Amino acid sequence: MDDNKKRRLAEIAYMYYIDGMSQSEIAREYSISRSMVSTMLSEARAKGIVKIQIEDSDLYCLDLQKKMEHVFGIKKIIIVPRLSKNETNLLYQLADGCIDYLNQIIEDNMTIAVSWGRTLYQIANRIRSKGKSNLTISPLVGGIGNEMNMYHSNVICDIMANNLGGNSLGLYAPVFVSSKEVKDVIFKDKSINKVIETSRKAHIAIVSIGNILSSVMREIGTLSEEDVSKLLELEAIGDINTIFIDKNGKVVESHLSERTIALTIEELKRIPKIIAVAGGVEKTEAIHAALKGKLMDVLVTDEEVAKEILKNYE
């Protein structure tokens, strides 16, 4: 049995046996039939996941999920176990946790708007079609680096669309431009405006959360050292979709704000489901800030981050 299926069986068993939810309530939560829930509970018993109590290596994470959801009032938090200290393996786990959830919620005719970065690249690269049709994948933000950079939003859109059998749109503009006037001209371009408008009307947004000091934007020079210094002076500690935030999850207005080619925080919040995917202890403060600011509907993170954050609420 693969890990994703085992995790799903354990989660449904937990909801039924520990949380006391009815099979009908679980069916509504997962958009599946009641008979499917019954079958999965039977399979969980048959596979030894359910005995006197639920036995599963991921159970500790399920407890953490419930605690985090309660503390922050977030709709859903998915916490993957930290099985490896290797950063690439963690990215795979975070991506797979997000993909498992996406497979539950993606429907025909949906638009999925995506950000950029290492984690988003792995989601795009590892996701596979489940037979849904007429999907559109659009970017939430202008380009980070050049078009050959695999973390570029347009590249991520292309890969995800190809793997899902959908269509992709490209936003052919850098993430930061030289002035507000240049930004205004870019937004008046019909082709760019069409892409931005498509992303504004998306059903799902997938973003990551960054730490300014260890950001890929700083690593590749999109953020200069002067930019970083100015942001730190304004008490910015991280970003979500290149929207810079302070330790309380409040948006930090900076010299970059009027020059950023991306959805604003208000536009992002209008998207019905925002999924933030981020992990690694270096991002703990930024993830905590985004949670305090309620900047997502769903968070996918790892158990080390979850434990660190919950220490503040013991």
Side-chain angles (χ1 to χ4, degrees):
M1 185 190 308
D2 69 273
D3 290 342
N4 285 338
K5 184 174 183 182
K6 187 175 182 182
R7 188 181 299 119
R8 178 76 58 77
L9 292 176
E11 189 166 304
I12 285 176
Y14 192 100
M15 295 167 80
Y16 184 73
Y17 291 103
I18 305 299
D19 286 347
M21 292 177 66
S22 70
Q23 292 185 21
S24 296
E25 289 172 330
I26 296 170
R28 284 194 296 273
E29 176 78 12
Y30 284 90
S31 299
I32 58 178
S33 66
R34 185 182 175 281
S35 61
M36 177 60 74
V37 174
S38 179
T39 298
M40 293 176 79
L41 288 170
S42 296
E43 185 176 357
R45 292 194 296 271
K47 299 294 184 183
I49 294 171
V50 175
K51 299 175 185 176
I52 296 172
Q53 59 183 9
I54 305 171
E55 297 282 351
D56 184 79
S57 61
D58 294 331
L59 242 198
Y60 186 53
C61 291
L62 293 178
D63 282 335
L64 285 176
Q65 287 172 196
K66 298 298 177 184
K67 289 175 184 175
M68 293 273 281
E69 288 167 358
H70 175 73
V71 168
F72 294 103
I74 299 297
K75 194 177 297 182
K76 188 171 186 66
I77 296 180
I78 298 164
I79 300 173
V80 301
R82 188 70 192 259
L83 302 177
S84 170
K85 294 297 182 184
N86 182 281
E87 182 186 359
T88 301
N89 289 338
L90 175 60
L91 290 178
Y92 293 158
Q93 286 184 262
L94 292 168
D96 289 345
C98 178
I99 290 166
D100 187 44
Y101 181 68
L102 287 170
N103 287 337
Q104 299 171 38
I105 64 171
I106 293 177
E107 300 291 347
D108 295 339
N109 307 310
M110 275 191 167
T111 295
I112 303 167
V114 300
S115 191
W116 68 280
R118 295 186 180 102
T119 311
L120 271 291
Y121 170 77
Q122 292 299 342
I123 294 168
N125 195 45
R126 295 168 74 84
I127 199 167
R128 292 295 180 269
S129 173
K130 295 297 180 181
K132 303 302 180 183
S133 62
N134 196 32
L135 300 177
T136 299
I137 316 299
S138 62
L140 286 164
V141 62
I144 306 290
N146 61 54
E147 283 285 345
M148 300 305 291
N149 186 333
M150 63 183 175
Y151 308 136
H152 194 291
S153 53
N154 290 348
V155 174
I156 289 168
C157 285
D158 284 344
I159 294 171
M160 182 175 282
N162 184 60
N163 285 339
L164 289 175
N167 301 304
S168 68
L169 299 178
L171 184 53
Y172 298 102
V175 62
F176 301 128
V177 293
S178 58
S179 67
K180 181 182 183 299
E181 289 72 26
V182 172
K183 176 181 175 178
D184 291 341
V185 170
I186 288 174
F187 269 66
K188 287 177 183 176
D189 181 273
K190 287 183 179 179
S191 61
I192 288 177
N193 192 264
K194 178 183 176 183
V195 175
I196 292 289
E197 195 58 33
T198 299
S199 294
R200 286 174 180 145
K201 294 178 179 177
H203 302 88
I204 300 167
I206 311 173
V207 300
S208 192
I209 299 166
N211 174 328
I212 288 177
L213 294 176
S214 60
S215 170
V216 174
M217 288 190 286
R218 185 185 190 190
E219 183 182 309
I220 66 176
T222 300
L223 278 182
S224 69
E225 291 306 306
E226 183 182 359
D227 291 329
V228 172
S229 295
K230 287 181 178 179
L231 288 166
L232 293 176
E233 285 175 10
L234 294 169
E235 300 185 342
I237 55 95
D239 79 284
I240 181 167
N241 194 51
T242 68
I243 300 164
F244 296 100
I245 56 174
D246 67 14
K247 65 180 181 180
N248 295 310
K250 302 295 184 184
V251 174
V252 172
E253 296 295 339
S254 74
H255 63 294
L256 296 171
S257 300
E258 292 187 337
R259 300 195 278 117
T260 304
I261 307 297
L263 267 65
T264 65
I265 192 65
E266 292 79 14
E267 291 168 335
L268 187 64
K269 284 181 174 181
R270 291 189 199 110
I271 295 175
K273 187 152 295 193
I274 304 170
I275 304 171
V277 191
V281 290
E282 73 281 356
K283 291 188 176 184
T284 300
E285 186 181 18
I287 294 168
H288 190 189
L291 282 166
K292 287 192 279 188
K294 291 183 166 49
L295 301 181
M296 80 290 283
D297 302 295
V298 179
L299 171 67
V300 183
T301 192
D302 68 85
E303 63 178 319
E304 287 189 358
V305 168
K307 289 174 184 175
E308 274 305 306
I309 290 173
L310 286 173
K311 284 179 183 178
N312 296 282
Y313 301 91
E314 291 175 348

